[in-house]
Amino acid sequence: MNILFFGPNGSGKGTQGAILKDKYNTAHIESGAIFRENISNGTELGAKAKEYIDKGDLVPDEITIPMILDRLKRDDCKNGWLLDGFPRNKNQAIKLDEALKEAGMALDIVIEILLDREIAKNRIMGRRLCVNDNNHPNNIFIDAIKPDGDKCRVCGGELKTRADDQDEDAISKRHGIYYDTETGTLASAYYFKDIAEKTGTVKYITLNGKPSVKEVAAELISKL
Ligand code: AMP
């Protein structure tokens, strides 16, 4: 199963993505997490990406597109993949579409979480990252995934905040890119929506991201 997951930053994409990853046993590829891993490992890629990430800008396509297309060729993607955070603009969508066609790979499902910008912003500011596992969701503003004191609710690990999650200007920039239906992330989602409508080979699912984590997960499962 090959899946694209769209949703504004803070819409619960990561949390719902983890559910899908377990259901279909796919590789869960989060472009933002790959960049953060490179930053903490002090790689050259990480150093280049950091200056853009801290400001809430997109890392240039020349860096991001080959990084993700190479990642899709790894062995753990043979059973399928779930892409979260890519494509993030229309150019990335076109390049991904071309690469899939070239590799003879089919896209099966596209999911779009709908959530209002203000709610998404609050959720971002409450988000906490587990140092042990990126798929352990914690958010101080969401009851269902509230940390256990100051520790991860899943494994008791240390929690961190992301610098770009606490900076309102950076959040605003990231959302500006997401909600842009001309060239931004929604434009890339609609690129695949168009393919889904025209060909019928791709299933395009929309989810209301406002209810609780459990309710959104239930809607997701019922629509798959
Ligand atoms: P995220 O964890 O998805 O919020 O991503 C964090 C940051 O990584 C973004 O604000 C961008 O700076 C960068 N990033 C993640 N995915 C992409 C992408 N597909 N294209 C360009 N930059 C990206």
Side-chain angles (χ1 to χ4, degrees), residues 8-224:
N9 317 86
S11 63
K13 238 181 331 138
T15 311
Q16 302 301 334
I19 295 173
L20 279 181
K21 172 193 174 241
D22 290 343
K23 182 174 165 68
Y24 292 117
N25 192 25
T26 63
H28 188 183
I29 302 170
E30 285 184 75
S31 45
I34 299 177
F35 287 131
R36 283 187 289 282
E37 207 177 292
N38 274 278
I39 293 171
S40 38
N41 292 338
T43 69
E44 197 183 323
L45 173 75
K48 270 191 206 153
K50 190 174 185 318
E51 55 179 305
Y52 299 96
I53 293 176
D54 285 349
K55 286 187 280 188
D57 289 324
L58 289 186
V59 177
D61 284 354
E62 306 85 82
I63 298 175
T64 310
I65 295 174
M67 177 183 90
I68 295 296
L69 297 185
D70 282 348
R71 178 67 187 83
L72 291 178
K73 290 180 189 150
R74 285 220 214 134
D75 273 357
D76 65 337
C77 291
K78 293 229 159 74
N79 193 41
W81 40 260
L82 167 70
L83 265 182
D84 170 347
F86 185 95
R88 202 98 152 201
N89 61 30
K90 194 158 176 193
N91 183 42
Q92 293 181 4
I94 293 168
K95 291 291 181 320
L96 174 65
D97 188 27
E98 284 171 4
L100 294 182
K101 281 187 185 131
E102 214 173 287
M105 248 185 222
L107 178 63
D108 300 296
I109 303 174
V110 180
I111 298 162
E112 182 193 350
I113 301 191
L114 308 167
L115 191 68
D116 164 301
R117 196 165 167 155
E118 201 49 36
I119 301 175
K121 178 179 151 191
N122 287 336
R123 290 199 186 160
I124 287 184
M125 298 192 88
R127 181 155 70 180
R128 299 293 179 268
L129 293 192
C130 172
V131 295
N132 297 330
D133 191 328
N134 195 45
N135 278 323
H136 288 173
N138 288 271
N139 194 305
I140 60 168
F141 297 143
I142 302 176
D143 282 341
I145 54 170
K146 218 175 225 153
D148 187 6
D150 60 355
K151 297 284 190 285
C152 172
R153 47 179 273 284
V154 181
C155 71
E158 294 294 319
L159 293 176
K160 284 201 305 200
T161 54
R162 282 168 47 178
D164 59 341
D165 279 356
Q166 303 303 315
D167 174 339
E168 295 205 31
D169 288 341
I171 293 173
S172 175
K173 242 194 229 173
R174 283 151 71 196
H175 279 154
I177 296 166
Y178 182 82
Y179 292 101
D180 174 354
T181 55
E182 295 298 316
T183 58
T185 310
L186 277 183
S188 72
Y190 296 165
Y191 177 88
F192 288 103
K193 190 178 195 174
D194 198 44
I195 293 178
E197 283 166 0
K198 280 188 183 135
T199 65
T201 56
V202 185
K203 193 166 179 177
Y204 195 96
I205 295 172
T206 53
L207 299 176
N208 174 10
K210 206 170 162 190
S212 69
V213 170
K214 259 196 181 149
E215 287 166 297
V216 179
E219 191 189 357
L220 171 61
I221 301 290
S222 76
K223 286 184 167 173
L224 282 173

